[in-house]
Amino acid sequence: MLTVENLPNLQGKKVYVRVDFNVPHKGAVISDDNRIRAAIPTIAALLKKGARVVLMSHLGKVDWKKFKKGEKTKEEIDAQMEKNNLEIAVEPLKAHISAAMGREVAVSFCPENRGPALKAAVEALRDGEILLAQNTRYQAGEEKNDPELAAEWASLVDVFVMDAFGSAHRAHASTVGVPSILKEQGKLVALGYLMIKEVENLSRCVEVKPEDRPYVAILGGLKVSDKIKVIDSLLKKCDYIIIGGAMAYTFKKALGESIGSSYCEEASLDYAKKCLEEAKGRIILPVDSVITDSFEPVEGRKIEVVSAIPEGFEGVDIGPKSAEKFADIISKAKMIFWNGPMGVFEQEEFQAGTKAVCVAIKNLEGKAFTVCGGGDSASAVKQFGYKDSFSHVSTGGGASLEMIENDGHLPGVDILR
Ligand code: AMP
């Protein structure tokens, strides 16, 4: 695959760079601009080659699906996309891009992402300048990979660079439509640095080498149904799959254990049974749980540690015996893939299980290849200060899971091959 590194001189060339600047924010205030900083090496390399960079990203959600279902009117959608709706307008990103470039680079913003205004803004760019276009999702055709929209975007530029790993599992107009058209026209399409790092690290978790065994996957979080395909795939690749978080209770119920009123997906019980049979002891479940009689942090709520959960209580974290058992398996691993917290880590009382997994992985430093597959587990790893203890922390939760599920294939990567 062509990468940003081996692109030729780009003087006079307009480059469409799909970035993932879907940053956490409230209005115009961005609380964490890591995603912007992570794309800077790619942008800087392109500018160094003389390119005129057009940055395209999504931010938040426009309710197109509700519009399609008739739950929202076109007027409501238009109102959502008013320039002053700073929950989805990307203009506040501009200041962060300028600051992150760390030198005098001209960054402009176009409040449109289609039509004559965008065309004029792209044409006005000079070598070494950056244009940030409006949120890609302002166009209903983005998520449908509308050929007309993709053709319009492709007509504006000479080169495409993909650096939005968090969106690479989605075949949208900006991730797949544009590069497929440019490729057909014999134009250059390439991977950015962020993508190279993600693809390299996650590919190692897909094509398992003998020296990477024992390979242990750790899954947590809420929904089994979200992770069904990944469990199937991991069962073929891993030596052990540790399951914590709310997900574990669907498996425990499938074994006939009492789970009180813990979160459970009745529709996934048969699947869980099938997995447990196929795994032949390789799926490791918690042996105790932290339970509460109130998920909401009300005063006087009961919090206990038990092995069998009574009615009226729900499991909200793995217990200390489970943490010890999981840590023991982790300590023998040569490769780890982790996605999903062990408990409700947003509440201090239920963080211990997720922290215990962080510590166990930190203890592997220098001895194993360890990957945190994005999403909430990546937030937890950062929040608890363990980011640097991992070989790789992915920027895309959904994308990293799909990459494992699909044996290393993602629409936004395959199109660049
Ligand atoms: P996911 O997006 O599927 O990775 O789920 C992440 C969410 O799962 C986080 O918000 C956690 O609070 C939640 N979670 C983890 N364990 C539990 C649990 N035992 N009960 C309820 N929610 C949980």
Side-chain angles (χ1 to χ4, degrees):
M1 274 188 281
L2 190 62
T3 67
V4 61
E5 202 148 74
N6 38 45
L7 279 173
N9 183 301
L10 294 169
Q11 271 168 337
K13 301 282 187 218
K14 288 163 276 181
V15 185
Y16 187 116
V17 187
R18 179 57 162 97
V19 282
D20 184 350
F21 287 171
N22 190 22
V23 291
H25 68 293
K26 264 219 157 7
V29 181
I30 295 169
S31 51
D32 176 359
D33 68 359
N34 261 320
R35 286 192 167 186
I36 298 174
R37 293 183 179 277
I40 297 304
T42 295
I43 301 170
L46 293 168
L47 295 186
K48 209 169 155 204
K49 288 178 193 273
R52 305 168 179 203
V53 170
V54 181
L55 295 178
M56 289 276 190
S57 178
H58 72 283
L59 179 68
K61 275 197 176 90
V62 179
D63 294 328
W64 290 113
K65 281 193 188 125
K66 288 192 177 162
F67 170 61
K68 217 173 126 194
K69 283 193 217 154
E71 291 166 12
K72 283 215 163 164
T73 63
K74 182 72 174 60
E75 287 69 35
E76 283 172 313
I77 296 292
D78 288 343
Q80 195 190 1
M81 294 190 296
E82 276 295 314
K83 282 193 199 89
N84 58 7
N85 183 354
L86 294 174
E87 290 310 318
I88 54 169
V90 300
E91 187 168 10
L93 302 175
K94 191 184 128 188
H96 286 257
I97 299 166
S98 293
M101 288 309 299
R103 60 188 166 100
E104 282 305 305
V105 173
V107 185
S108 53
F109 170 69
C110 179
E112 306 294 330
N113 65 8
R114 231 191 143 156
L118 178 64
K119 191 172 166 55
V122 175
E123 290 304 325
L125 273 176
R126 286 175 303 183
D127 288 1
E129 290 185 352
I130 298 173
L131 171 71
L132 171 68
Q134 187 56 281
N135 189 343
T136 52
R137 291 194 179 160
Y138 273 44
Q139 297 301 328
E142 156 72 334
E143 292 174 62
K144 290 186 287 190
N145 190 7
D146 173 49
E148 247 178 69
L149 176 63
E152 181 178 337
W153 279 341
S155 73
L156 298 172
V157 294
D158 309 290
V159 178
F160 175 87
V161 172
M162 176 65 172
D163 216 19
F165 181 73
S167 307
H169 58 312
R170 300 192 169 115
H172 290 175
S174 67
T175 56
V176 167
V178 175
S180 60
I181 293 170
L182 291 174
K183 232 168 88 170
E184 264 170 41
Q185 295 170 347
K187 295 188 175 149
L188 298 175
V189 298
L191 288 177
Y193 287 119
L194 193 72
M195 288 291 291
I196 300 170
K197 207 164 111 198
E198 294 277 10
V199 171
E200 274 177 8
N201 284 303
L202 288 161
S203 296
R204 187 160 165 191
C205 298
V206 174
E207 294 141 26
V208 191
K209 297 198 190 76
E211 60 266 33
D212 287 332
R213 294 194 179 280
Y215 176 16
V216 177
I218 308 160
L219 295 178
L222 202 54
K223 289 192 184 154
V224 178
S225 50
D226 280 356
K227 290 169 188 155
I228 280 185
K229 280 203 271 165
V230 84
I231 298 176
D232 273 343
S233 175
L234 286 170
L235 268 176
K236 291 187 195 109
K237 300 181 201 304
C238 292
D239 298 286
Y240 293 102
I241 304 180
I242 292 173
I243 298 183
M247 267 180 86
Y249 299 110
T250 302
F251 284 85
K252 283 172 96 59
K253 183 150 186 197
L255 286 172
E257 294 185 28
S258 66
I259 62 160
S261 41
S262 304
Y263 182 88
C264 174
E265 275 176 46
E266 298 289 332
S268 298
L269 282 173
D270 286 342
Y271 170 75
K273 259 186 218 147
K274 182 200 90 150
C275 282
L276 288 163
E277 278 161 24
E278 272 176 27
K280 297 193 175 68
R282 293 182 300 128
I283 289 182
I284 313 295
L285 296 172
V287 287
D288 59 351
S289 298
V290 177
I291 59 168
T292 182
D293 60 349
S294 166
F295 188 88
E296 296 307 321
V298 291
E299 206 166 309
R301 68 174 167 178
K302 289 190 194 131
I303 297 175
E304 293 169 24
V305 175
V306 295
S307 37
I309 305 177
E311 273 316 314
F313 283 81
E314 61 182 303
V316 278
D317 193 11
I318 58 168
K321 282 191 197 135
S322 314
E324 212 175 291
K325 184 175 174 191
F326 290 2
D328 182 50
I329 295 169
I330 293 169
S331 73
K332 295 176 186 120
K334 282 280 179 305
M335 185 154 80
I336 298 278
F337 174 78
W338 177 21
N339 187 294
M342 295 293 100
V344 184
F345 76 101
E346 295 91 341
Q347 297 187 38
E348 214 182 320
E349 296 91 329
F350 313 132
Q351 291 176 343
T354 304
K355 280 186 183 164
V357 169
C358 288
V359 172
I361 292 175
K362 184 182 168 55
N363 291 339
L364 285 178
E365 252 180 300
K367 291 184 262 179
F369 179 70
T370 56
V371 172
C372 173
D376 274 328
S377 32
S379 309
V381 160
K382 282 182 212 154
Q383 185 185 327
F384 302 147
Y386 290 92
K387 186 170 183 265
D388 295 338
S389 304
F390 282 75
S391 310
H392 180 64
V393 177
S394 174
T395 53
S400 68
L401 281 179
E402 274 197 34
M403 182 136 178
I404 305 264
E405 267 166 46
N406 302 328
D407 268 337
H409 293 283
L410 289 180
V413 176
D414 290 348
I415 196 69
L416 307 181
R417 284 183 207 278

